């Protein structure tokens, strides 16, 4: 059950979505009954028919930061930097302040400590430290760091979404990833990957759900680049999952705990929301408000404490996300659903179609 090979599958490359649906809620939605394994096929806009009055829908309101930067080293060589942690941004850095971030770097020759980097007239940097796979980079700008990133940064798309033009023409984005790779309810800056299950919602759909008396609450979990890191341990129990910062307001904690006490369904939008709620309730099955770093790795055998149903996309082979949904619905039922999705030409991964598992 815990062998990594048990979570592998073959996906035809043409089913990896390279662009979003033309309308967010016109993506497809597979519904999987996690008890019986029954499968039905819908459009995401049908969600209002599939949820019940007084269900509690919990969303992740993190906002993706345009964290990919293109510049040059002081030697003149090209460099690409992906910021993967934003401690300075999350504390609202002021104009003229130095902000130190953990980064991934792509260059013909890796920079050394002390190397100066130039990202144009608005942003300079220096490599503060070099680690095994990451770099600590100190950014300096006269304007607030967030303002500069929003102006010159590119969206940090997953590696399986190809935008070859970005390297040659930063800022020229025919797919409008700045808007598409962002949920309509994103408000809290700090993620380097979108909580992609939420990409399917529109303001109109959310309003229809409210009109149906579906309650909606929000948590914040800043999705990190570690979500794309492969599992290498042959026994998945030996895998050490990445940590991501989260926050739960007292209002959301109360909404979840009240729904739980009332016996109402709690439906998590995305694996990020699932992990956050389950992590916050790991002591006594009561969700606590507050903030911290979530490092909960959910794989088959895990006993869910809070979540009754989830909305999620179709995940990469051998990923921790696939292991999470396998824990929720059972590996065999998930793989049967994935086989059905492939046979029915569903679109996979971040810009792909969705599942409702309940």
């Amino acid at each position: 059950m815990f062998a990594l090979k048990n979570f592998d599958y073959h996906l035809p490359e043409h089913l990896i979505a390279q662009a979003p649906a033309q309308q967010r809620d016109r993506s497809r939605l597979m519904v999987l009954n996690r008890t019986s394994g029954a499968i039905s096929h819908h459009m995401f806009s049908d969600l209002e028919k599939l949820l019940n009055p007084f269900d509690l829908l919990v969303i992740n309101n993190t906002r993706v930061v345009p964290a990919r930067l293109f510049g040059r080293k002081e030697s003149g060589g090209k460099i690409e930097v992906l910021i993967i942690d934003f401690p300075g941004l999350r504390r609202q850095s002021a104009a003229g302040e130095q902000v130190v971030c953990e980064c991934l770097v792509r260059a013909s020759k890796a920079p050394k400590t002390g190397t100066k980097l130039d990202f144009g007239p608005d942003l300079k940097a220096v490599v503060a430290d070099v680690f095994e796979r990451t770099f600590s980079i100190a950014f300096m700008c006269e304007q607030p760091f967030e303002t500069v990133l929003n102006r010159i940064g590119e969206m940090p798309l997953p590696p399986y979404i190809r935008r070859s033009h970005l390297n040659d023409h930063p800022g020229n984005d025919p797919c409008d990833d700045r808007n598409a790779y962002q949920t309509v309810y994103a408000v809290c800056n700090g993620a380097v990957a979108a909580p992609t299950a939420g990409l399917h919602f529109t303001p109109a759909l959310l309003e229809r759900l409210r009109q149906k008396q579906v309650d909606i609450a929000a948590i914040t979990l800043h999705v990190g680049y570690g979500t794309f890191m492969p599992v290498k341990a042959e026994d998945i129990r030996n895998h050490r999952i990445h940590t991501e910062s989260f926050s739960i307001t007292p209002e959301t904690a109360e909404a979840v705990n009240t729904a739980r006490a009332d016996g109402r369904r709690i439906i998590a939008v995305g694996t990020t929301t699932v992990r956050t709620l389950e992590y916050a309730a790991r002591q006594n099955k009561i969700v606590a408000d507050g903030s911290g770093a979530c490092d909960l790795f959910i794989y088959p055998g895990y006993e869910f404490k809070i979540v009754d149903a989830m909305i999620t996309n179709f995940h990469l082979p051998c990923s921790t996300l696939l292991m999470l949904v396998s824990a929720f619905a059972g590996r065999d039922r998930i793989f049967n659903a994935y086989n059905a999705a492939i046979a029915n030409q569903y679109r996979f991964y971040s810009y792909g179609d969705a599942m409702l598992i309940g």
Side-chain angles (χ1 to χ4, degrees):
M1 178 169 59
F2 302 115
L4 179 61
K5 63 182 180 181
N6 291 336
F7 299 92
D8 198 8
Y9 69 93
H10 172 70
L11 179 70
E13 189 172 353
H14 73 276
L15 294 182
I16 301 174
Q18 296 297 310
Q22 289 188 347
Q23 294 180 323
R24 289 176 183 263
D25 64 355
R26 297 304 294 169
S27 55
R28 298 170 72 184
L29 177 67
M30 175 185 286
V31 177
L32 171 64
N33 185 307
R34 65 179 179 135
T35 301
S36 68
I39 293 170
S40 57
H41 304 280
H42 308 264
M43 301 301 292
F44 199 85
S45 55
D46 296 332
L47 186 65
E48 62 181 302
K49 303 173 186 175
L50 299 167
L51 300 189
N52 304 318
F54 309 114
D55 281 346
L56 176 63
L57 191 72
V58 187
I59 60 177
N60 181 3
N61 65 9
T62 188
R63 184 173 179 82
V64 182
V65 177
R68 179 169 276 116
L69 297 166
F70 297 87
R72 291 187 178 275
K73 296 180 286 185
E74 57 186 331
S75 63
K78 292 182 179 180
I79 191 167
E80 178 183 340
V81 170
L82 176 63
I83 303 171
I84 59 175
D85 190 51
F86 297 90
L89 179 58
R90 290 177 188 145
R91 60 182 172 81
Q92 299 297 312
S93 57
E97 185 178 8
Q98 177 176 286
V99 178
V100 180
C101 299
E102 183 181 5
C103 304
L104 298 176
V105 167
R106 180 184 294 174
S108 58
K109 186 177 181 180
K112 299 179 180 179
T113 300
T115 300
K116 295 179 181 179
L117 309 176
D118 186 346
F119 300 98
D122 295 330
L123 184 63
K124 311 296 180 184
V126 64
V127 177
D129 210 343
V130 178
F131 304 103
E132 183 177 355
R133 292 191 300 177
T134 64
F135 297 75
S136 179
I137 297 180
F139 294 93
M140 294 149 287
C141 48
E142 295 301 322
Q143 298 176 348
F145 189 43
E146 178 182 347
T147 301
V148 175
L149 283 181
N150 284 335
R151 184 164 59 250
I152 71 172
E154 296 288 346
M155 292 299 274
L157 297 175
Y160 47 77
I161 295 179
R162 298 183 181 90
R163 296 287 186 271
S164 60
H165 66 276
L166 289 183
N167 289 322
D168 300 320
H169 305 287
N172 176 23
D173 192 348
C175 289
D176 191 20
D177 292 310
R178 277 189 174 246
N179 290 313
Y181 196 62
Q182 199 82 268
T183 64
V184 297
Y185 44 73
V187 293
C188 297
N189 282 320
V192 296
T196 55
L199 297 180
H200 308 281
F201 286 91
T202 65
L205 176 56
L206 290 168
E207 181 56 32
R208 292 198 301 273
L209 291 173
R210 292 188 180 97
Q211 291 293 326
K212 192 176 179 177
Q213 294 185 288
V214 173
D215 294 328
I216 301 175
I219 58 92
T220 303
L221 182 132
H222 293 307
V223 191
Y225 196 78
T227 192
F228 301 119
M229 300 301 289
V231 176
K232 296 182 178 180
E234 291 302 321
D235 185 327
I236 64 172
R237 293 172 294 182
N238 296 327
H239 175 67
R240 184 174 180 180
I241 200 168
H242 55 284
T243 60
E244 296 165 317
S245 61
F246 75 92
S247 178
I248 300 176
T249 65
E251 293 78 12
T252 290
E254 181 180 5
V256 173
N257 293 329
T258 299
R260 201 83 183 125
D262 292 345
R264 294 184 280 126
R265 282 200 308 175
I266 298 170
I267 303 166
V269 178
T271 57
T272 60
T273 303
V274 173
R275 291 179 62 234
T276 303
L277 292 176
E278 294 293 321
Y279 181 84
R282 65 193 187 282
Q283 296 291 339
N284 52 14
K285 299 186 179 182
I286 300 295
V287 170
D289 63 271
S291 58
C294 177
D295 62 353
L296 178 62
F297 179 20
I298 297 177
Y299 53 84
Y302 177 84
E303 179 184 347
F304 286 84
K305 305 171 181 63
I306 299 297
V307 176
D308 300 302
M310 76 170 75
I311 297 168
T312 187
N313 281 17
F314 293 90
H315 304 296
L316 277 73
C318 297
S319 64
T320 59
L321 309 183
L322 182 57
M323 295 166 193
L324 185 153
V325 296
S326 295
F328 191 68
R331 179 201 170 279
D332 291 345
R333 282 186 285 273
I334 286 293
F335 273 71
N336 183 52
Y338 273 50
N339 288 333
I342 292 170
N344 285 275
Q345 299 289 292
Y346 274 69
R347 301 164 74 246
F348 277 61
Y349 305 163
S350 293
Y351 272 153
D353 297 314
M355 301 178 72
L356 170 60
I357 309 173

